[in-house]
Amino acid sequence: MAKVLYIKANPKKDEESTTFKLANVFLNEYKAKNPNDEIIVLDLYKENIRPLDETLLQEMFSKKDGEILRQAKLFASCDKFIVAAPMWNLSFPSILKVYFDYITQVGIVFKYTESGSVGLLADRPRKAIHIVSRGGLYSEGPAKEYEQGDRYIRTLFNFFGIMDIQTLAIELTNVLPKEQLEVESQKVYAKAKDIAKSF
């Protein structure tokens, strides 16, 4: 039985978010194929996530029990990760970066060695998927170099030792006519179901 962490980074309701609609298609198929897995839903806008201030920094470096340590330990205890976060301003919602600041803890997800840092989450097979909606086309073409969100998530997870990472994206949501966007969405939904079967 796997422990799955579903990280939600969007203030919108599920029915109002293109990202969450896609994530729910993926998650429902995953649940159908893996009914015994434990799925933990972490809605960052409902958690006590706030930018690091002096108090939180002291908590972080002292390793005191608190929200930072709780979040880091929860992340490190999981086997699979679903990150549902739309593209905002070439990246992702800032609350997700704050969350990553919480969990990037020495001794929990990585350690320092004489030859450099080493990820601690390579101790067993783990995998992740980033589910994202984008207003334009950023997976290919001239705008690809501007995409920073998916790139950051992959870099950070690799740093932790998680190397099996996929991306599930629906694009051109601010460009395509409504009817065409619906057709494209159905194609991506079908792809989501296929990926979920082997995730």
Side-chain angles (χ1 to χ4, degrees), residues 12-193:
K12 291 183 179 181
K13 297 178 180 178
D14 281 21
E15 62 272 18
E16 298 172 348
S17 166
T18 303
T19 300
F20 287 161
K21 288 178 183 178
L22 178 56
N24 284 332
V25 170
F26 176 88
L27 195 58
N28 289 337
E29 184 68 22
Y30 181 85
K31 288 177 179 178
K33 297 296 180 182
N34 304 275
N36 296 320
D37 282 7
E38 178 186 3
I39 298 176
I40 300 169
V41 179
L42 189 68
D43 187 332
L44 299 185
Y45 283 91
K46 295 179 180 179
E47 295 289 315
N48 186 28
I49 303 292
R50 67 183 196 275
L52 296 179
D53 55 19
E54 185 177 5
T55 300
L56 286 174
L57 284 174
Q58 290 176 350
E59 177 185 312
M60 178 190 298
F61 291 119
S62 66
K63 301 296 183 183
K64 291 181 180 178
D65 286 335
E67 188 64 13
I68 289 179
L69 195 60
R70 184 182 77 83
Q71 294 288 0
K73 287 184 174 180
L74 172 61
F75 186 90
S77 72
C78 294
D79 306 292
K80 300 179 181 180
F81 308 89
I82 303 168
V83 182
M87 173 186 263
W88 282 11
N89 302 319
L90 306 181
S91 182
F92 42 64
S94 57
I95 197 169
L96 183 57
K97 174 58 170 67
V98 177
Y99 171 74
F100 288 151
D101 288 341
Y102 277 45
I103 65 172
T104 308
Q105 299 303 312
V106 179
I108 298 179
V109 298
F110 79 101
K111 66 179 179 179
Y112 290 115
T113 70
E114 292 182 356
S115 57
S117 57
V118 175
L120 294 176
L121 301 189
D123 58 330
R124 64 178 186 266
R126 302 183 203 241
K127 58 176 62 178
I129 186 168
H130 175 209
I131 299 176
V132 57
S133 60
R134 302 173 179 139
L137 181 62
Y138 292 90
S139 60
E140 59 183 65
K144 183 177 181 179
E145 64 180 284
Y146 295 116
E147 196 287 321
Q148 301 296 317
D150 191 66
R151 188 176 306 176
Y152 184 92
I153 291 171
R154 286 176 175 272
T155 300
L156 190 68
F157 279 40
N158 286 172
F159 181 75
F160 296 161
I162 303 169
M163 311 308 290
D164 187 350
I165 305 170
Q166 300 181 72
T167 302
L168 178 62
I170 182 167
E171 300 190 291
L172 298 169
T173 60
N174 293 337
V175 178
L176 296 177
K178 184 177 181 181
E179 295 77 10
Q180 187 177 353
L181 179 58
E182 179 60 30
V183 171
E184 293 303 317
S185 295
Q186 293 303 320
K187 293 179 181 177
V188 180
Y189 291 166
K191 182 179 179 180
K193 292 179 180 179

